[in-house]
Amino acid sequence: MALRAALRPKCAFLGLLQSSGSHGRVSTVLVSQMRNNTTAPKIKVDFNQSTGVAVLSMQSPPVNSLSLDFLTELCINLEKLEMDKACRGLIITSTQPKVFSAGLDIMEMYGKSPERCGEFWRAVQEMWLKIYGSNMVTIAAINGSSPAGGCLLGLTCDYRIMADNPRYTIGLNETLLGIVAPFWFKDTMVNTVGHRNTEMALELGLLYSPSEALKIGLVDKLVPQDQLLTTATETMTKWLAIPDHARQITKSMMRKPTIDKLTSNREADIQNFVSFITKDSIQKSLRMYLEMLKKRKA
């Protein structure tokens, strides 16, 4: 299979995307690269026992695409940290230059069997459930562009700090590829930036610069690139000063309705995704997208 074949052509991603500063002129830049050896760890975790804080670094070149393999490894690491009572805080970041995560791996959605698509979507759900409902304090240290699924990954965290570089963009831009963001993507964004901002963002597939993202509340703080992890660590100290039980119960109170909505409709959501993504018209759109990518590379 393509995911397990080293040196197969890298998939196209729903990113990296550049904002021209005007939402009406958002353009798309796709990435196609050779896949690195899939046996290399895609996730690195550094846990400081003295502070109780773990730093989870995504390290899957070139853009931390959310493939089934990547998501599986991510969820395994999240589960281990969640079970470790000594771990109270988690900072999620990326080792890849200029990219936090470019989002869902399009090759997981193109030319795959319904069973494989369902397995992939269940893994996407699991990532969201583990982070959005985590008892740990979760902070996203967004070091680069974060479109689509990469934006969702950031949105699941309690707090988002982004590198202040106008070349970076962030947003749920699925509609640009003819894909509809599911209800729990939408709900997560509504909970963060409100209904109207979400309505505009999702319908138009908007990508925001860091300053624009800060203005609507999509991110909570901007800092220079070289101060990102330092600021995340300092911010974590403030969050951990709150008694765990009070913070965790409050977090559950705020997020449980959104979580329950997915857990009670999980199988239906998978079926809806599979039915949608395997449609001939959608597969045709994805194929045209990949062909355009090959022409650009040539």
Side-chain angles (χ1 to χ4, degrees):
M1 296 179 69
L3 280 174
R4 293 174 173 79
L7 301 181
R8 286 284 188 90
K10 187 80 176 171
C11 62
F13 307 102
L14 202 59
L16 302 166
L17 299 127
Q18 297 177 333
S19 171
S20 62
S22 167
H23 289 151
R25 303 197 304 274
V26 172
S27 62
T28 307
V29 178
L30 294 173
V31 179
S32 178
Q33 306 235 355
M34 301 301 283
R35 187 178 296 279
N36 66 314
N37 191 331
T38 56
T39 60
K42 296 172 173 57
I43 302 295
K44 177 184 177 184
V45 176
D46 295 302
F47 179 39
N48 187 324
Q49 292 278 353
S50 63
T51 63
V53 177
V55 177
L56 186 153
S57 300
M58 299 179 287
Q59 52 176 26
S60 182
V63 291
N64 293 324
S65 63
L66 305 181
S67 66
L68 179 56
D69 285 350
F70 181 97
L71 290 166
T72 300
E73 187 174 333
L74 175 60
C75 287
I76 289 171
N77 279 280
L78 290 170
E79 182 76 14
K80 289 179 179 178
L81 293 171
E82 195 72 45
M83 292 177 65
D84 187 344
K85 299 305 180 184
C87 186
R88 301 174 60 214
L90 175 63
I91 297 171
I92 300 177
T93 192
S94 163
T95 63
Q96 303 308 308
K98 304 177 183 179
V99 184
F100 181 67
S101 171
L104 303 184
D105 188 333
I106 290 179
M107 288 307 294
E108 293 285 7
M109 298 179 276
Y110 176 69
K112 295 294 189 293
S113 68
E115 292 76 19
R116 172 66 184 221
C117 289
E119 184 182 5
F120 169 64
W121 198 246
R122 187 179 298 276
V124 179
Q125 292 177 334
E126 192 66 24
M127 172 200 75
W128 180 84
L129 288 168
K130 286 189 180 303
I131 304 176
Y132 201 64
S134 175
N135 279 325
M136 297 179 287
V137 174
T138 54
I139 295 178
I142 304 171
N143 63 299
S145 290
S146 192
C151 178
L152 179 72
L153 180 57
L155 283 170
T156 60
C157 294
D158 298 315
Y159 196 82
R160 284 159 293 285
I161 306 170
M162 189 171 187
D164 192 6
N165 185 327
R167 295 178 64 86
Y168 297 160
T169 57
I170 184 170
L172 294 179
N173 62 310
E174 280 79 359
T175 52
L176 295 181
L177 192 59
I179 296 174
V180 178
F183 70 87
W184 45 285
F185 282 50
K186 179 265 296 181
D187 290 345
T188 308
M189 193 166 188
V190 168
N191 292 347
T192 306
V193 302
H195 189 279
R196 182 55 176 163
N197 282 325
T198 300
E199 185 175 40
M200 294 288 288
L202 295 188
E203 290 193 27
L204 296 176
L206 299 181
L207 287 162
Y208 299 90
S209 68
S211 61
E212 292 168 335
L214 180 65
K215 185 177 180 180
I216 68 166
L218 188 57
V219 299
D220 299 296
K221 192 169 188 175
L222 302 181
V223 297
Q225 186 103 30
D226 60 359
Q227 296 178 25
L228 189 61
L229 280 179
T230 301
T231 304
T233 302
E234 293 172 351
T235 303
M236 180 65 75
T237 301
K238 296 178 182 178
W239 280 72
L240 293 181
I242 306 299
D244 284 346
H245 69 280
R247 179 190 53 76
Q248 290 167 357
I249 292 171
T250 302
K251 180 176 180 176
S252 176
M253 178 176 62
M254 296 298 297
R255 296 190 172 195
K256 191 176 185 297
T258 307
I259 292 171
D260 288 349
K261 188 174 176 181
L262 175 60
T263 54
S264 63
N265 293 283
R266 196 166 181 183
E267 295 305 320
D269 180 62
I270 292 172
Q271 289 304 312
N272 287 340
F273 171 78
V274 172
S275 297
F276 177 80
I277 209 67
T278 55
K279 285 182 179 179
D280 289 343
S281 59
I282 301 303
Q283 288 292 303
K284 181 180 179 180
S285 295
L286 293 176
R287 183 174 67 251
M288 292 174 62
Y289 211 59
L290 293 171
E291 289 174 351
M292 177 184 69
L293 178 64
K294 289 180 180 179
K295 289 179 181 178
R296 287 185 180 184
K297 187 176 180 181

